Amino acid sequence: MDAFSLEEAIKAWRKELRKRRQLEPGHVEELESHLRDRIDDLVESGIEAEEAFRRVTAGELEDLDALEDQYRVARRGKKPRKEWEGRSRLFTLMPNFLKITFRNFRRRKGYAFINIMGLAVALAACLLMVLYLRFELSFDRWHDNADRIYRVATSSYHTNGWALGQVLESEYPEVEEAVYLRSESWPVSHQGRHYFDNTLVADGEFLEVFDFPLAEGDPSTALDAPGSVVITEDLRDKYFGDATALGQTLTLRDSLQFTVTGVAENVPDNSHLQFDALVSFESWKQVRPTFENAIDQHWLDLNMYNYVLVRPGTDVDALRDKVRDIYMEKAGDYFRGLNMEPEVRLEPLQDIYLRVNTGNRLGPSSDISYLYLLGGIALFLLIIACINFMNLSTARSLERAKEVGIRKTVGSGRRGLIVQFLTESTLTAFFSMVLAMGLAVWALPLFNHLTQNAFTWGDLFTPAMGVVLLGFVVVVGLLSGLYPAFLLSAFRPVQVLKSGFTSFGKGATLRKGLVVFQFAVTCFLIICTVVVVKQLDYMQSEELGFQKEQVVVMDARRGQSSLSPNQYVTVKQQLASHPAVTQVTSAMATPGRSGWRSILAYGEGQNPDQSLSVEYLPVDFDYIPTFGLELAAGRAFDPERPSDAQSGVVINRAAVEAFGWDSPAEAIGKQVTTINSLLEDPVLGVIENYHHHGLQHNIQPMVMVVEPQYFDYYALRFDAAQGLSGASGMIEHMRSTWEEFFPGYTFNYFFLDEDYATQYNTQSRLAGIYGIFSGLAVFIACMGLFGLVAFTTSRRTKEIGIRKVLGAGISHIIFLISREFLALVGLAFLLASLPAWWFMDRWLQDFAFRTEIGAGVFAVTLLAGVLICLLTVSWQSLRAATMNPVKSLRSE
């Protein structure tokens, strides 16, 4: 049998006693003291310790309930209150709690400012981020049948062969409706002017499957008849002003007459389908008279967007399995001959904007990973601000401990103290929220610029945002105040009122840990910012293989149809007549813009089933010299050899490698053939690889041909020595040329270097967001560090005075105070480095050409962290170090 241990028995008794709700830690300790006194008396009278413990706990005190009642009667001279009475009393004390809170704010203005400002900045950032996330997550969810609508995709494409929609609707009973869409760039003529609005060709079921309500017209019939067009309210106002639009006539494609059969409400921004006009599918069939006859033969013409509405209760996974192999079932021999096995996919409507990231889109797109990233950064900012509150509250625990001790001595219970401290933290969060609203409104234009949105201050003051703000106040108030409240309310009056009482060592360790966490997050964001900026700089400064400076491009896509194929030469000659222009070329696409991508081709010596995807780019004779492309073998197109326009291609080095030829020289004279009989021509020359697209992408095989009917752009290289007057005169010359050859069309032009840089808009926005949020994290962390340093120096005032009397210099005092915090920043840097490297290394994998992270990134981050810490700490350290020692020694 184990020997009796009095201490173990008392420990178990104390643990049982603490379960009583009505007893608080201070009360339990007083009862324990009473218990020990009675046991000591019995032991002194000759009774064994085990028997004494049993008598005191079971005999004289009887049970815990009686013990509790006796204690409360003895302590307060009245019957114990019921639990609900205690809670009611807390509510009656709330005005007093508020009064004490405001008094503490007035007495400790600096402490209150740091907490309120830090939380306000974090809350403002979170508020703007919630606004953005709420908008991004709302895409396409407002359709009544959103959960039953799926987009049909073909392998890595979002478009389909013409026959697929018909097969789905006619052969699969799970499909209730199939919708056909095409994107067309048809000019709209009205009152002598030509407009190019975002036009979709849609069948009659489109307005019934999707919820795009009509302000005028009948959605069930608006798109049924040939010659029907539905326009948006903006287009109605643009074309007809205040007049009624229904029944009005518009001219499309310069000669087709269309009647307005409906006016749709403007398309919401949170829709991946964007349009200004809807042309009936029956009209498009008339434009393409062979469509009905050839539809079954065009499985590879991936030009149709199909959406399906499935019936309620459909097992979509089972339907996916059934439709996956339609292409191979219907035209398997054809695709096997091309060495292809396309599959059909069903993409939920609600996932299209955020979770589907391949091309051929009808509207905007994003990436869910960016939302996770931005939401995580905003959450970290809020956590950092809450850590500031907790750190400063626990750091001031010695000062508040005496307050707690006095209050407990005069009768305050722990519950009341907890409510008091939570009241302070909640009011701090409330004041921060009010300030955060003002900061959010002030920062909204910058936020719109970063996110390329058009939020207004009214979006911040909606009922939903009100609920979010209320949640912020409650969560932040509890999160930042709960630990300090329980920590401070647990102080024991007897201990805290002793002159030698100091803060718990455990509290100091926690404070250091929170500081490390703050600066680890800050270092993580700084590393990410430096890497993003470095990658962006790399992409903008890397040698591209062509000359993009001093080139201005006239965009003639929307007017080129008014020219005959050979008139482009006349336009070029007119543009070249200005003295500032040194070279002119025309093409289907300039660097940074796409030719025909995914054209299947094979080289001489290959079988058709070895065909590969190339970019097909119609250019004129001057394209290669105008952009400074370098020849690796052979020659460029020669205007003195008109036959080059009928037979001959120029390819890049990537195409030589893809076609399996050993060298550019070997490629000269070899045939290049496309699957769709677009060409079968010999190679005239091979150019060195150049970055036609941004450095996010690998350099793809490219085939250049001379085909004037596809020339949409005119690129002019100009002499920078002409200065601004020469450049402005050249633009006016371009404008007059435009008006001569493209009357009625809107003049459009751009500078090539600026247009090429737009491919990096996502990276530029990310760099800006990282930079701003990193700056906010640094600001909030520094505010907390400043408060901690101020408190530390105030607690060490006498020590600093003594050291100065003994001969310590100012630099020694500053180093003494700073070294602890510098060590914490160093530890934070070490903890942040590996996760940041892993995260950014994965991010860089998305770029075909990328920079190296390198040791310099971490050196810059460490240096920045040290400088931030020194700048934050030094002012308070210098102030303490230069204080008169006599004054320092009197301060305590």
Side-chain angles (χ1 to χ4, degrees):
M1 183 176 181
D2 294 337
F4 173 77
S5 171
L6 180 61
E7 289 303 321
E8 289 297 324
I10 292 177
K11 181 179 178 181
W13 173 87
R14 185 171 59 239
K15 181 178 179 181
E16 182 66 26
L17 196 60
R18 287 186 187 279
K19 295 179 181 179
R20 312 302 296 177
R21 293 183 182 178
Q22 294 84 350
L23 296 180
E24 299 178 0
H27 302 154
V28 173
E29 288 156 10
E30 291 184 34
L31 291 171
E32 181 182 344
S33 177
H34 174 71
L35 176 75
R36 288 182 180 275
D37 289 343
R38 296 300 305 274
I39 291 174
D40 289 343
D41 290 343
L42 292 175
V43 170
E44 288 177 3
S45 67
I47 299 176
E48 293 292 331
E50 182 177 3
E51 178 62 21
F53 175 79
R54 187 187 61 79
R55 287 186 184 184
V56 173
T57 55
E60 295 183 40
L61 300 177
E62 295 184 348
D63 58 47
L64 293 176
D65 290 328
L67 173 64
E68 180 182 315
D69 290 343
Q70 290 171 17
Y71 170 76
R72 290 196 179 277
V73 171
R75 177 70 184 245
R76 296 190 171 93
K78 58 183 179 181
K79 292 182 179 180
R81 291 196 313 272
K82 296 180 181 179
E83 185 177 351
W84 66 269
E85 291 177 338
R87 293 176 180 174
S88 176
R89 183 170 177 269
L90 289 178
F91 286 109
T92 62
L93 290 175
M94 189 57 68
N96 185 56
F97 292 156
L98 294 175
K99 185 187 297 184
I100 295 171
T101 298
F102 284 113
R103 185 184 300 157
N104 283 329
F105 285 167
R106 287 196 303 271
R107 289 180 58 196
R108 304 174 182 88
K109 296 182 179 66
Y111 164 78
F113 173 79
I114 289 175
N115 276 329
I116 291 174
M117 180 55 71
L119 282 174
V121 171
L123 282 173
C126 286
L127 189 61
L128 291 173
M129 197 52 62
V130 166
L131 185 67
Y132 176 69
L133 295 178
R134 182 167 169 260
F135 171 76
E136 292 286 289
L137 294 171
S138 68
F139 262 77
D140 299 312
R141 296 180 181 275
W142 42 272
H143 295 283
D144 288 343
N145 295 320
D147 59 333
R148 294 199 289 130
I149 300 175
Y150 294 81
R151 181 168 63 185
V152 185
T154 298
S155 296
S156 59
Y157 301 96
H158 290 312
T159 50
N160 314 121
W162 291 346
L164 184 59
Q166 288 191 345
V167 170
L168 288 171
E169 190 171 17
S170 61
E171 298 183 16
Y172 293 86
E174 297 92 337
V175 176
E176 184 175 326
E177 295 282 358
V179 174
Y180 308 91
L181 293 177
R182 279 182 60 87
S183 178
E184 295 287 355
S185 180
W186 287 356
V188 180
S189 303
H190 183 65
Q191 296 181 347
R193 299 292 295 173
H194 301 285
Y195 303 95
F196 284 83
D197 298 299
N198 185 9
T199 303
L200 291 182
V201 177
D203 66 349
E205 285 73 30
F206 176 79
L207 293 173
E208 297 185 47
V209 172
F210 295 95
D211 293 308
F212 294 105
L214 297 188
E216 301 177 43
D218 183 357
S220 62
T221 59
L223 292 173
D224 285 348
S228 301
V229 62
V230 174
I231 61 176
T232 61
E233 292 176 320
D234 281 347
L235 281 196
R236 177 195 59 191
D237 298 339
K238 175 180 174 180
Y239 294 152
F240 307 112
D242 296 331
T244 301
L246 288 182
Q248 297 276 11
T249 301
L250 292 174
T251 303
L252 277 72
R253 294 191 67 187
D254 299 324
S255 60
L256 302 177
Q257 300 299 309
F258 280 78
T259 301
V260 177
T261 55
V263 176
E265 296 179 7
N266 292 327
V267 180
D269 291 335
N270 55 346
S271 170
H272 88 280
L273 291 172
Q274 293 291 324
F275 60 86
D276 298 307
L278 296 171
V279 173
S280 67
F281 200 69
E282 296 299 320
S283 305
W284 186 81
K285 289 180 181 179
Q286 290 186 341
V287 175
R288 301 289 181 91
T290 61
F291 171 75
E292 290 286 5
N293 296 331
I295 189 169
D296 289 334
Q297 304 170 17
H298 287 78
W299 285 98
L300 196 59
D301 288 338
L302 303 175
N303 295 307
M304 191 74 67
Y305 293 85
N306 293 134
Y307 293 78
V308 293
L309 175 69
V310 301
R311 299 187 186 280
T314 297
D315 184 344
V316 178
D317 290 334
L319 180 60
R320 284 192 176 101
D321 293 337
K322 290 174 65 175
V323 304
R324 180 179 295 116
D325 298 322
I326 288 179
Y327 278 102
M328 300 307 293
E329 292 170 0
K330 299 294 183 180
D333 293 340
Y334 175 61
F335 286 109
R336 278 187 287 270
L338 299 177
N339 197 28
M340 296 175 61
E341 292 187 16
E343 294 182 348
V344 175
R345 299 198 317 268
L346 297 181
E347 301 168 345
L349 178 67
Q350 298 170 348
D351 289 350
I352 291 173
Y353 176 71
L354 287 175
R355 292 181 171 86
V356 180
N357 54 16
T358 48
N360 294 336
R361 294 187 175 275
L362 292 175
S365 63
S366 186
D367 189 336
I368 191 68
S369 62
Y370 281 107
L371 300 194
Y372 292 144
L373 174 64
L374 297 177
I377 292 174
L379 181 61
F380 274 128
L381 281 184
L382 191 60
I383 292 174
I384 289 174
C386 292
I387 285 174
N388 278 352
F389 188 100
M390 294 171 63
N391 256 346
L392 293 176
S393 296
T394 54
R396 293 176 58 244
S397 60
L398 181 59
E399 180 183 346
R400 299 302 298 270
K402 293 178 180 179
E403 172 191 341
V404 170
I406 293 172
R407 286 194 184 187
K408 282 194 169 185
T409 301
V410 298
S412 289
R414 190 182 185 193
R415 186 180 295 125
L417 290 169
I418 291 174
V419 172
Q420 167 66 52
F421 292 128
L422 289 180
T423 300
E424 289 186 17
S425 63
T426 304
L427 275 178
T428 300
F430 175 78
F431 293 144
S432 300
M433 181 268 291
V434 174
L435 181 58
M437 292 295 294
L439 291 175
V441 172
W442 173 77
L444 200 56
L446 174 61
F447 186 74
N448 282 336
H449 175 71
L450 281 175
T451 61
Q452 295 188 346
N453 278 295
F455 298 121
T456 65
W457 65 268
D459 296 319
L460 293 169
F461 297 97
T462 62
M465 293 303 291
V467 173
V468 171
L469 285 172
L470 181 61
F472 270 151
V473 171
V474 174
V475 172
V476 172
L478 292 175
L479 184 63
S480 58
L482 206 57
Y483 176 77
F486 277 93
L487 176 70
L488 296 174
S489 64
F491 287 156
R492 301 172 183 177
V494 175
Q495 290 180 314
V496 299
L497 296 179
K498 290 180 180 179
S499 60
F501 175 76
T502 57
S503 301
F504 298 130
K506 182 171 60 176
T509 302
L510 176 65
R511 286 196 300 276
K512 292 177 182 179
L514 293 178
V515 169
V516 169
F517 177 81
Q518 278 184 308
F519 275 90
V521 173
T522 303
C523 289
F524 180 92
L525 292 176
I526 292 175
I527 292 172
C528 293
T529 302
V530 173
V531 173
V532 172
V533 171
K534 188 179 179 185
Q535 174 65 16
L536 184 62
D537 180 68
Y538 171 81
M539 292 191 296
Q540 292 174 337
S541 59
E542 181 71 3
E543 182 63 42
L544 299 173
F546 71 95
Q547 300 170 8
K548 68 181 188 316
E549 290 75 19
Q550 284 82 54
V551 176
V552 62
V553 181
M554 189 170 74
D555 183 352
R557 286 175 297 169
R558 294 175 172 177
Q560 187 71 8
S561 60
S562 63
L563 296 180
S564 64
N566 293 324
Q567 270 187 296
Y568 87 95
V569 177
T570 308
V571 176
K572 281 182 59 179
Q573 292 172 344
Q574 180 95 349
L575 292 171
S577 65
H578 192 273
V581 178
T582 60
Q583 289 176 302
V584 181
T585 187
S586 54
M588 179 187 182
T590 57
R593 302 197 173 203
S594 295
W596 289 340
R597 305 180 81 170
S598 303
I599 297 296
L600 295 177
Y602 59 94
E604 185 176 321
Q606 289 181 312
N607 294 321
D609 60 2
Q610 295 176 308
S611 60
L612 52 94
S613 176
V614 302
E615 184 166 358
Y616 186 90
L617 183 62
V619 301
D620 79 349
F621 293 97
D622 300 310
Y623 187 89
I624 291 174
T626 299
F627 288 111
L629 303 181
E630 183 180 349
L631 280 170
R635 62 178 177 85
F637 297 112
D638 188 349
E640 300 299 325
R641 302 181 185 184
S643 61
D644 285 358
Q646 284 76 44
S647 176
V649 299
V650 173
I651 63 177
N652 63 354
R653 185 181 286 270
V656 173
E657 296 170 357
F659 290 143
W661 297 323
D662 292 335
S663 67
E666 183 188 345
I668 305 304
K670 294 289 183 69
Q671 295 290 119
V672 175
T673 307
T674 58
I675 290 295
N676 56 3
S677 303
L678 199 60
L679 62 85
E680 185 177 354
D681 293 338
V683 175
L684 303 177
V686 176
I687 57 173
E688 294 289 355
N689 289 335
Y690 75 99
H691 293 280
H692 189 84
H693 301 284
L695 274 75
Q696 309 98 310
H697 310 288
N698 286 308
I699 296 176
Q700 298 296 322
M702 178 175 286
V703 176
M704 294 181 178
V705 296
V706 177
E707 292 185 349
Q709 65 269 33
Y710 299 118
F711 294 165
D712 291 334
Y713 297 93
Y714 293 85
L716 291 72
R717 181 167 294 282
F718 59 91
D719 184 3
Q722 297 279 341
L724 292 176
S725 59
S728 60
M730 179 186 62
I731 299 299
E732 288 304 314
H733 176 68
M734 292 169 60
R735 187 186 302 274
S736 63
T737 302
W738 178 277
E739 292 173 352
E740 177 181 348
F741 289 95
F742 309 110
Y745 292 90
T746 303
F747 174 55
N748 292 295
Y749 74 95
F750 56 85
F751 288 93
L752 182 63
D753 53 352
E754 295 176 355
D755 184 71
Y756 193 87
T758 60
Q759 298 179 98
Y760 307 136
N761 281 346
T762 299
Q763 289 74 37
S764 297
R765 287 200 306 272
L766 187 61
I769 291 171
Y770 266 132
I772 289 177
F773 277 85
S774 297
L776 293 178
V778 169
F779 172 76
I780 296 170
C782 285
M783 289 190 71
L785 186 60
F786 183 86
L788 280 177
V789 174
F791 175 77
T792 300
T793 54
S794 70
R795 301 307 306 166
R796 302 178 70 174
T797 300
K798 182 177 289 187
E799 176 194 346
I800 293 170
I802 294 172
R803 287 179 180 273
K804 292 193 67 177
V805 169
L806 295 176
I810 292 177
S811 59
H812 176 76
I813 299 297
I814 293 176
F815 174 74
L816 182 70
I817 297 174
S818 303
R819 64 181 180 181
E820 176 184 348
F821 295 102
L822 285 173
L824 296 179
V825 171
L827 178 59
F829 167 77
L830 293 176
L831 293 176
S833 295
L834 184 59
W837 174 85
W838 178 83
F839 181 78
M840 295 314 297
D841 183 67
R842 292 197 61 183
W843 179 75
L844 287 173
Q845 299 305 316
D846 292 335
F847 297 89
F849 300 87
R850 51 188 175 268
T851 186
E852 296 293 332
I853 296 179
V857 172
F858 299 97
V860 168
T861 302
L862 180 59
L863 180 62
V866 170
L867 288 177
I868 290 168
C869 180
L870 284 176
L871 290 174
T872 307
V873 173
S874 294
W875 188 84
Q876 286 286 354
S877 302
L878 183 63
R879 183 168 173 267
T882 55
M883 185 179 293
N884 189 328
V886 176
K887 185 178 179 181
S888 299
L889 295 174
R890 285 178 178 175
S891 66
E892 298 182 10

